[in-house]
Amino acid sequence: QVQLAESGGDSVYAGGSLKLSCVVSGLPFADYCLGWFRQVPGKEREGVAGIDSDGTPAYVDAVKGRFTISRDNAKNTLYLQMNSLKPEDTAIYYCAADLFPTLRGWRHFNYWGQGTQVTVSS
């Protein structure tokens, strides 16, 4: 059974930093593409960052230069370091897995965690 468990969400002021973690079990972690998504009430879930099995990252423009996605295959853990946070980054953040080694599009992710709340105040 595939399980993803996020942690690290919190409330911070604008300009602050947070690091999210996601522990993954039930699949060969090192073999697959992983990603971070976020969702605001009333809006669709959106992809934020993805990372291939070889560690190649990809980001949406809204977070480039501020967020860093990384993975520790020895710990089966995915990370998202978020710096220079803005109020518009407020959302529930989800980690996700796509059973494919490279990022092929946000719609292909089909395993999800429960989410962790990030709130950024101005």
Side-chain angles (χ1 to χ4, degrees):
Q1 181 180 2
V2 179
Q3 292 186 319
L4 298 89
E6 304 95 337
S7 61
D10 205 343
S11 295
V12 297
Y13 287 105
S17 297
L18 283 175
K19 187 172 185 176
L20 306 183
S21 300
C22 175
V23 178
V24 181
S25 60
L27 57 78
F29 181 88
D31 292 348
Y32 297 125
C33 179
L34 303 166
W36 286 99
F37 291 71
R38 64 187 182 187
Q39 188 170 23
V40 175
K43 292 190 175 182
E44 289 190 2
R45 192 175 301 186
E46 63 174 359
V48 173
I51 187 165
D52 292 349
S53 60
D54 68 358
T56 301
Y59 304 94
V60 296
D61 288 345
V63 306
K64 276 181 183 176
R66 300 188 298 122
F67 290 10
T68 302
I69 188 171
S70 62
R71 62 193 297 162
D72 185 336
N73 291 342
K75 296 182 178 179
N76 282 15
T77 303
L78 176 70
Y79 301 100
L80 185 68
Q81 177 68 47
M82 305 186 293
N83 299 328
S84 302
L85 282 162
K86 304 176 181 180
E88 52 263 44
D89 294 319
T90 296
I92 299 174
Y93 283 72
Y94 299 88
C95 66
D98 177 15
L99 300 189
F100 197 76
T102 57
L103 183 62
R104 52 178 178 167
W106 303 118
R107 63 185 177 88
H108 292 284
F109 287 82
N110 48 13
Y111 291 95
W112 299 88
Q114 315 94 309
T116 186
Q117 177 71 48
V118 172
T119 303
V120 184
S121 302
S122 57

